[in-house]
Amino acid sequence: MGRKSPYPAEFRNDAVALYRAAGGKRTYAAVAADVGVTGETLRSGVRQAGEQAGGGNRDEPVAEGRDEELARLRAENGRLRRAEKEWELEREILRRAAQYFAKEMRA
């Protein structure tokens, strides 16, 4: 066998899911470039995920329940919305601080 992957399992699973979500419309290299790995690394990850899921066509998407996928996407959406609110607050604080210091510099 080969060496241990330097990428965490969650990252590899997400990269494989991204490739499979493209439904054959994108190449390994195109998807791999988006996530920052080589095309061969992604191809190998897709092949290994297919073998672990029970074989079959290695490029065929593994059936993940729609409910599970929907729950995962909703959780991710919620996390991103919370992060966006934090960034908006940080921008507002920085904007106010910049205004304050600009007034101090003029005085």
Side-chain angles (χ1 to χ4, degrees):
M1 282 274 153
R3 61 190 159 119
K4 185 175 178 349
S5 173
Y7 304 107
E10 184 177 358
F11 175 80
R12 290 191 311 267
N13 293 339
D14 289 346
V16 168
L18 185 63
Y19 172 75
R20 289 179 172 163
K25 294 179 183 172
R26 299 186 66 205
T27 63
Y28 286 113
V31 175
D34 288 348
V35 297
V37 298
T38 66
E40 181 59 26
T41 299
L42 179 61
R43 186 194 67 75
S44 175
V46 171
R47 185 187 73 242
Q48 287 175 353
E51 290 171 358
Q52 290 173 353
N57 183 353
R58 63 181 173 200
D59 292 336
E60 184 178 306
V62 176
E64 181 176 342
R66 282 187 170 196
D67 294 337
E68 293 171 359
E69 179 71 5
L70 184 59
R72 186 185 67 77
L73 291 173
R74 284 184 176 160
E76 177 71 6
N77 194 19
R79 186 188 66 76
L80 293 172
R81 285 182 192 268
R82 285 188 299 278
E84 182 181 23
K85 286 180 183 178
E86 288 179 26
W87 296 331
E88 287 173 358
L89 179 61
E90 289 174 5
R91 283 192 300 268
E92 180 64 22
I93 291 169
L94 291 173
R95 184 184 64 77
R96 288 182 182 181
Q99 287 176 346
Y100 173 80
F101 288 117
K103 287 180 187 175
E104 290 290 319
M105 300 264 312
R106 289 185 208 149

